[in-house]
Amino acid sequence: MSRYVFNAYQLDTTPGNLSSPFSPSLDWTGDDNAYLLWLRERFRSSPEVRERLGLAYRANRRPNQELDIVGPYRQVLRYAIDNYGKAKQVSQ
C-alpha cells in the first residue's frame, strides 16, 4: 500500500523523487528512449505504476483540467499517458 496521496494532476519525472512512481532513481542518467523503456518495465512489473498511469490517463481526459507534468521526462510521460488508452482499444 502506498504511503502517500497521489495527485493525478501533478506528476513529476525528476530523478530521485521518492513520492512519484514516474521518477527514476537519483542516479538515473538515461535519455528519453531509456526513460520510456524504464517506464514500460515499471508498468509491467508494478501494480502501483499501472494504477497511477490509469488515474493520470483518466484525469487527462476530463474537460477543463490540465495535467501539470514536471521534470526532464515530462514529454515522454505525456506521450505514455496519451497513448495509455490506445493500447487497450487495440487489444479489444
Side-chain angles (χ1 to χ4, degrees):
M1 175 172 248
S2 175
R3 289 183 265 147
Y4 59 92
V5 175
F6 179 73
N7 181 346
Y9 294 98
Q10 294 180 330
L11 309 172
D12 188 1
T13 67
T14 304
N17 182 348
L18 299 177
S19 66
S20 174
F22 307 117
S23 173
S25 64
L26 185 58
D27 60 350
W28 176 264
T29 59
D31 63 7
D32 286 356
N33 290 329
Y35 178 80
L36 186 57
L37 291 173
W38 174 84
L39 187 59
R40 285 178 180 158
E41 178 55 37
R42 296 264 301 146
F43 181 84
R44 284 192 286 272
S45 65
S46 172
E48 177 187 28
V49 172
R50 285 192 297 274
E51 176 187 47
R52 302 302 197 259
L53 194 58
L55 289 170
Y57 171 76
R58 288 188 291 284
N60 192 43
R61 294 181 49 99
R62 295 189 69 188
N64 302 320
Q65 296 285 338
E66 287 199 33
L67 300 182
D68 179 24
I69 304 174
V70 298
Y73 305 105
R74 64 186 166 275
Q75 292 174 325
V76 180
L77 183 56
R78 164 96 40 210
Y79 170 82
I81 292 168
D82 289 344
N83 287 287
Y84 176 81
K86 293 177 184 174
K88 292 182 125 188
Q89 292 170 1
V90 170
S91 65
Q92 293 177 351

